[in-house]
């Protein structure tokens, strides 16, 4: 599948997943505009002291796409919801991180790369926040986020991650299309982003099986051997309405 066709497929999947999160499909879909998904603003963070709510907005980014780390096959990310606030504070632009919630994604081949019929070999990865985010855009460069990958497997402790807060996966997304306005009421935007230049750190906290996880995924993996591509829909709400 070409990158263009893959992005088109991801866009369709993301729209379908978002609709399932709360949108209602009109009965006469062919005669109506595309349905707008319902966004969950419950993770909007508290504003800093002295912030004027009328000059701040909460942004909810719901994304789905593909992930490749090290020697792994490309896999779907599942739906992710990232929430943050941005506005003006003392005459300067400011941001407050809210939350990153993501569905786990199945690792093809399981923990050993030979299949996952045995439940103990089934392995999922879940993208998580690793302590730092800057959403300030510069042209098509859309800031930086520190991420880690939770490794979910019955043989591994819940502390097992690829990267951690002190040694994160540094995601510097670049916009590859958009933003396109999906709706004006409520305001919703859509764009695609990717990063194919990040490095993936080694595993941490895997109860003595760190080397097994590293061998399975080919970690640490240098810049250029990994990729994260996402199609994102953005819902916006003023803090004056929250």
């Amino acid at each position: 599948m070409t990158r263009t066709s893959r992005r088109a497929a991801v866009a369709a999947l993301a729209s379908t997943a978002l609709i399932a999160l709360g949108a209602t499909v009109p009965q006469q879909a062919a005669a109506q505009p595309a349905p707008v998904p319902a966004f969950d603003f419950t993770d909007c963070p508290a504003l800093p002291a002295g912030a004027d709510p009328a000059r701040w907005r909460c942004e909810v980014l719901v994304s789905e796409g593909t992930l490749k780390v090290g020697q792994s096959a490309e896999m779907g990310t599942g739906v992710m919801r990232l929430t943050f606030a941005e506005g003006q504070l003392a005459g300067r632009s400011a941001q407050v991180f809210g939350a990153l919630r993501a569905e786990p994604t199945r690792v093809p081949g399981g923990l050993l790369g030979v299949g996952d019929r045995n439940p103990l070999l089934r392995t999922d990865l879940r993208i998580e926040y690793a302590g730092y985010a800057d959403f300030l855009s510069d042209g098509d460069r859309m800031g930086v986020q520190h991420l880690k990958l939770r490794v979910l497997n019955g043989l591994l402790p819940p502390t097992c991650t690829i990267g951690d807060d002190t040694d994160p996966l540094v995601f510097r997304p670049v916009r590859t299309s958009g933003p396109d306005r999906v709706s004006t009421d409520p305001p919703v935007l859509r764009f695609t982003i990717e990063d194919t230049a990040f490095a993936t750190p080694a595993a941490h906290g895997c109860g003595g099986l760190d080397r097994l996880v590293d061998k399975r995924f080919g970690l640490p993996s240098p810049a250029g051997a990994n990729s994260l591509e996402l199609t994102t829909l953005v819902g916006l709400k003023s803090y004056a309405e929250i």
Side-chain angles (χ1 to χ4, degrees), residues 20 29 44 58-59 64 67 83 95 111 114 119 122 142 148 161 185 192 199 222 229-230 234:
C44 294
C58 184
E59 300 194 17
E64 189 171 9
L67 169 69
T83 306
Q95 306 170 1
L111 182 61
V114 296
R122 172 176 170 170
M142 305 189 70
K148 57 191 174 187
T161 61
D185 186 19
T192 60
E229 302 181 14
L230 300 171
V234 186

Side-chain angles (χ1 to χ4, degrees), residues 123-214:
T123 304
D124 293 337
L125 296 180
R126 185 175 65 224
I127 297 174
E128 297 183 0
Y129 179 60
Y132 178 79
D134 180 357
F135 299 100
L136 182 63
S137 297
D138 179 11
D140 286 330
R141 298 187 177 277
M142 305 189 70
V144 57
Q145 293 93 53
H146 288 184
L147 305 173
K148 57 191 174 187
L149 302 174
R150 184 76 53 184
V151 186
L152 305 172
N153 173 273
L155 297 175
L156 302 173
T159 55
C160 183
T161 61
I162 294 173
D164 61 13
D165 289 7
T166 61
D167 184 22
L169 183 162
V170 181
F171 180 49
R172 294 184 174 88
V174 176
R175 184 168 52 209
T176 53
S177 72
D180 301 315
R181 188 170 294 276
V182 176
S183 169
T184 57
D185 186 19
V188 178
L189 305 175
R190 178 174 56 216
F191 56 83
T192 60
I193 56 176
E194 70 175 14
D195 184 356
T196 59
F198 63 88
T200 301
H204 302 264
C206 300
L209 295 178
D210 300 50
R211 290 186 178 180
L212 173 64
V213 175
D214 286 345

Side-chain angles (χ1 to χ4, degrees), residues 8 21 31 92 97 184 193 195 209 219 231:
L21 290 176
R92 302 182 65 180
F97 180 79
T184 57
I193 56 176
D195 184 356
L209 295 178
L219 304 176
T231 294

